Amino acid sequence: DAGVTQSPTHLIKTRGQQVTLRCSPKSGHDTVSWYQQALGQGPQFIFQYYEEEERQRGNFPDRFSGHQFPNYSSELNVNALLLGDSALYLCASSPGPTANTGELFFGEGSRLTVL
Amino acid sequence: SQKIEQNSEALNIQEGKTATLTCNYTNYSPAYLQWYRQDPGRGPVFLLLIRENEKEKRKERLKVTFDTTLKQSLFHITASQPADSATYLCAPLYSGAGSYQLTFGKGTKLSVIP
């Protein structure tokens, strides 16, 4: 049973560029959340997708956008990259947005470096 | 806004001893509080969840307590082993905040010394 998979694992971009990160949720999960983790910090919630719609959003500018596909996979797009966008981007899946257990299954992350 | 504080950035402990990590939150109590383990360069891994109306939860060598009066959760690892060395994150989940919109602390880096 494959867990949450993310790609790419590492990437380097320059300021002003755009980046797309991809995530496939754990089998049986239909809800995907994205988190940003800067070095030495805890993960910060970006947004959550369920039924191909953004359901919740954290305190991130609209340079951060996403998409969910019919197969539940998801993309995170960041436009006009800033140096401060350098971070580990984590995708987490769950079996529905209102499941009782509440635990999240995280992927290994995509490490983005902006130069 | 909610503020999550984990007692220290780093904790060193001798193998075999009990490690105790602290998570403090401000304002109102979360409906749930979760603990995750994160190894360097890896995604967090869920360990335990405790509900607002539960005082204590155990899983093998792990124990979590939740004190809504003190606004604090304690995470214990008994008989610690070098393999327990990692960063431990607490993550309260507030009702009304939306499912799975976790607010993570910065984490405590635990080092278990052989």
Side-chain angles (χ1 to χ4, degrees), chain B residues 20-70:
Chain B
T20 299
L21 286 64
T22 304
C23 176
N24 295 296
Y25 58 89
T26 59
N27 300 331
Y28 51 93
S29 288
Y32 305 90
L33 198 144
Q34 304 183 16
W35 284 88
Y36 287 78
R37 168 184 173 140
Q38 187 172 27
D39 291 286
R42 309 289 296 273
V45 175
F46 174 82
L47 296 174
L48 278 173
L49 174 152
I50 188 165
R51 291 178 170 79
E52 185 179 16
N53 60 355
E54 296 177 320
K55 296 293 185 186
E56 182 179 297
K57 200 79 166 282
R58 291 175 184 263
K59 180 182 177 183
E60 298 173 352
R61 294 185 296 112
L62 308 180
K63 184 178 85 171
V64 172
T65 63
F66 194 1
D67 189 325
T68 55
T69 301
L70 294 177

Side-chain angles (χ1 to χ4, degrees), chain A residues 22-91:
Chain A
R22 296 175 177 83
C23 171
S24 291
K26 180 179 168 64
S27 177
H29 288 183
D30 58 7
T31 301
V32 172
S33 302
W34 287 92
Y35 285 78
Q36 180 197 63
Q37 187 174 26
L39 203 60
Q41 303 294 315
Q44 299 290 312
F45 177 78
I46 303 175
F47 42 53
Q48 181 195 73
Y49 276 85
Y50 172 65
E51 292 185 333
E52 302 179 48
E53 290 187 12
E54 182 183 295
R55 299 289 178 168
Q56 302 163 41
R57 188 178 183 94
N59 189 25
F60 279 81
D62 55 13
R63 295 188 298 110
F64 289 77
S65 63
H67 189 78
Q68 186 178 35
F69 299 94
N71 67 352
Y72 310 125
S73 67
S74 177
E75 288 182 349
L76 164 65
N77 300 293
V78 187
N79 294 323
L81 285 168
L82 304 173
L83 295 179
D85 294 331
S86 296
L88 181 68
Y89 287 86
L90 295 162
C91 172

